[in-house]
Amino acid sequence: MKKILLWLLILSLCLSLAACSSGQSAPGAADEPRPTDTSVHRIGVIVYNTGDEEVIGFREYLQGYIESNFEMVKFLYSDSIQTEEQELEFIQQACDQGAEGFLSFLSRDLAAEVALCEKNQAYYLLASGVVSDEDFDAVADNPWFLGMFGPGRPFEFQAGADMARYFLREKTGNRYFILSGGAPLGNEMHYQRTLGILDTLSAAYGVDFPQSRTDLAKTEEPVTLALDKLAVTICPGYVNREEYAAAAKDAFAAGTYDAVLAVLPPAEMASVIGKTPLGVVDSYNTRNLQLSADGVLKFVVGKYSSLVGPAFALMLNAVTGHAAEFREKGRAIQVTQGFWTSDSEEDYLEKYALSISANMIAYNFEDLSRVICIYNPDANLNELVALAEACSYQAVITRRSSSAG
């Protein structure tokens, strides 16, 4: 009965979200102070795959909710970016169309991207992602680089480790198939998640891999290891692309596995995996909801769509003339935002319901306007960072309960 009620709740929330996306304002938004800057500000959004569920969720929030409530903002979305050349081409095209800044969800060459933005006097912000300390430090003093929001390397590592611990705790079996995604292709998030999985399995089984775990995490070809009771296959590549999906399907078919641990959405691999228990680092989205309901998806570490709200607030501050006030001793900022985690269908349903709610949205107009200078002249960096970091499920529930009261 509780599951039925939750499904009905989700249906009502989806209808509510659709109404919000069609142009309705956030509850209470009409009572908020009017902005002091009403110019239209165009902001580019750089994405890696327009068909990815996480990307779709962010887009629904930015173009549906944010544009409806912050009417001075217009987002210019990229197509699916697969090469550095494509990203730089989009940046220039968007600048030619008047873009004043970019919210990026990937980075292939941060120095080159920031340099092009500087040339066009446009701001660049990693809205949800991770790069190496070296790459960040190389551009941190550039005033056109605003910073980075995301779990950060420790939380990315922990995401993989927590996923491995779940299957160890459940005693699912000893044969693991790991989808390591872009770990060998410079994707720091996927690398840290894969490393977390390997470290945890190595420690739990008391075995040493024949290669270093760092090398294994970055393997460019599928690798299978059989060590005492532990058997592991590590399969790299973006499995939403056919050139990687074919190799992943062949590798999976060549063995027998008790669990699949994916550091990225399994895409079409989901049909190949079948009923094999699955864990994923991804987002709270409809596809994962179905996999959870089917009993396949056992463990989720994920983001939710409005998590990018504070990153948007920082960008709006910058393009309205307040960039310098939102730097840390003159340097770009790094803001840590952790994941939500679910290890049951019921828990996933509850968190998914909140993630798509228009009325209970985690970062709403009221939250964001308080840390945006054109709405609140007293807005400051400390309050914006505190808001961004209050992103846990319990923090969101507490904030919404407080605002409702």
Side-chain angles (χ1 to χ4, degrees), residues 1-11 289-295 344-350 353:
M1 177 60 71
K2 186 173 183 180
K3 186 181 293 187
I4 294 174
L5 292 174
L6 283 168
W7 276 99
L8 291 173
L9 172 62
I10 288 170
L11 177 60
L289 176 69
Q290 187 60 58
L291 289 172
S292 178
D294 290 344
S344 71
E345 181 185 356
E346 182 176 340
D347 187 77
Y348 185 91
L349 279 167
E350 291 175 351

Side-chain angles (χ1 to χ4, degrees), residues 170-189:
E170 294 298 310
K171 298 182 176 6
T172 306
N174 302 314
R175 299 166 298 182
Y176 298 89
F177 188 84
I178 302 170
L179 289 171
S180 61
L185 303 172
N187 188 315
E188 186 71 15
M189 295 181 292

Side-chain angles (χ1 to χ4, degrees), residues 17 20 26-27 61 65-66 304-306 354-365 367 396 399-400 403:
L17 182 60
C20 180
Y61 175 69
Y65 185 85
I66 293 296
Y304 51 94
S305 59
S306 68
L354 178 59
S355 76
I356 65 170
S357 168
N359 294 321
M360 287 284 287
I361 198 162
Y363 289 104
N364 65 17
F365 177 86
D367 298 328
V396 173
R399 184 160 64 246
R400 291 288 72 86
S403 63

Side-chain angles (χ1 to χ4, degrees), residues 126-133 136 147-162 187-196 281 301 303 307 333-339 388-389 391:
L126 286 167
S128 183
V130 176
V131 296
S132 68
D133 292 340
F136 184 90
M148 176 172 70
F149 286 70
R153 295 168 70 189
F155 274 107
E156 295 286 5
F157 180 94
Q158 181 180 328
D162 286 347
N187 188 315
E188 186 71 15
M189 295 181 292
H190 292 177
Y191 168 66
Q192 291 295 332
R193 296 168 189 174
T194 305
L195 196 60
V281 185
V301 185
K303 302 173 185 176
L307 188 66
I333 64 172
Q334 296 189 61
V335 180
T336 301
Q337 292 183 298
F339 296 102
E389 292 180 345
C391 59

Side-chain angles (χ1 to χ4, degrees), residues 358-385:
N359 294 321
M360 287 284 287
I361 198 162
Y363 289 104
N364 65 17
F365 177 86
E366 181 182 4
D367 298 328
L368 300 179
S369 61
R370 288 174 180 166
V371 295
I372 296 174
C373 293
I374 60 173
Y375 292 91
N376 175 18
D378 296 324
N380 60 70
L381 175 61
N382 289 339
E383 291 180 355
L384 189 149
V385 172

Side-chain angles (χ1 to χ4, degrees), residues 38-309:
T38 57
S39 304
V40 175
H41 298 281
R42 291 177 172 82
I43 299 171
V45 184
I46 303 170
V47 300
Y48 50 89
N49 178 11
T50 57
D52 181 86
E53 291 275 3
E54 180 179 281
V55 171
I56 291 171
F58 287 151
R59 186 167 191 162
E60 289 175 346
Y61 175 69
L62 292 173
Q63 289 192 318
Y65 185 85
I66 293 296
E67 279 191 357
S68 295
N69 292 284
F70 296 87
E71 297 178 357
M72 78 293 293
V73 174
K74 175 68 175 177
F75 293 107
L76 306 176
Y77 256 79
S78 76
D79 293 327
S80 299
I81 299 291
Q82 297 186 4
T83 67
E84 174 64 10
E85 291 73 22
Q86 289 175 341
E87 182 170 2
L88 295 176
E89 181 180 0
F90 171 72
I91 289 173
Q92 188 59 59
Q93 289 176 348
C95 287
D96 292 342
Q97 296 175 45
E100 301 171 65
F102 292 87
L103 297 175
S104 180
F105 292 93
L106 78 159
S107 176
R108 297 181 177 275
D109 186 341
L110 185 60
E113 293 145 15
V114 172
L116 183 57
C117 284
E118 180 180 21
K119 178 181 177 181
N120 287 276
Q121 296 192 322
Y123 294 100
Y124 190 93
L125 172 63
L126 286 167
S128 183
V130 176
V131 296
S132 68
D133 292 340
E134 294 77 13
D135 288 344
F136 184 90
D137 288 338
V139 294
D141 292 324
N142 190 314
W144 298 99
F145 177 56
L146 299 179
M148 176 172 70
F149 286 70
R153 295 168 70 189
F155 274 107
E156 295 286 5
F157 180 94
Q158 181 180 328
D162 286 347
M163 183 161 57
R165 289 190 193 101
Y166 168 80
F167 288 103
L168 289 166
R169 186 171 64 248
E170 294 298 310
K171 298 182 176 6
T172 306
N174 302 314
R175 299 166 298 182
Y176 298 89
F177 188 84
I178 302 170
L179 289 171
S180 61
L185 303 172
N187 188 315
E188 186 71 15
M189 295 181 292
H190 292 177
Y191 168 66
Q192 291 295 332
R193 296 168 189 174
T194 305
L195 196 60
I197 294 170
L198 294 175
D199 272 23
T200 302
L201 292 178
S202 174
Y205 284 90
V207 298
D208 291 321
F209 295 118
Q211 298 169 252
S212 71
R213 291 189 291 276
T214 55
D215 288 342
L216 286 173
K218 291 186 176 181
T219 180
E220 296 180 0
E221 300 291 337
V223 173
T224 298
L225 302 170
L227 303 165
D228 194 17
K229 294 181 179 179
L230 173 65
V232 175
T233 293
I234 306 157
C235 185
Y238 295 105
V239 290
N240 63 304
R241 304 180 195 172
E242 182 54 37
E243 64 266 32
Y244 295 114
K249 291 174 183 177
D250 289 344
F252 188 82
T256 303
Y257 299 98
D258 300 309
V260 175
L261 283 64
V263 305
L264 77 172
E268 297 309 314
M269 279 294 293
S271 60
V272 178
I273 291 167
K275 294 297 183 181
T276 306
L278 170 66
V280 65
V281 185
D282 185 16
S283 65
Y284 283 77
N285 60 60
T286 306
R287 181 163 188 168
N288 286 337
L289 176 69
Q290 187 60 58
L291 289 172
S292 178
D294 290 344
V296 175
L297 185 57
K298 303 295 185 180
F299 188 85
V300 179
V301 185
K303 302 173 185 176
Y304 51 94
S305 59
S306 68
L307 188 66
V308 298

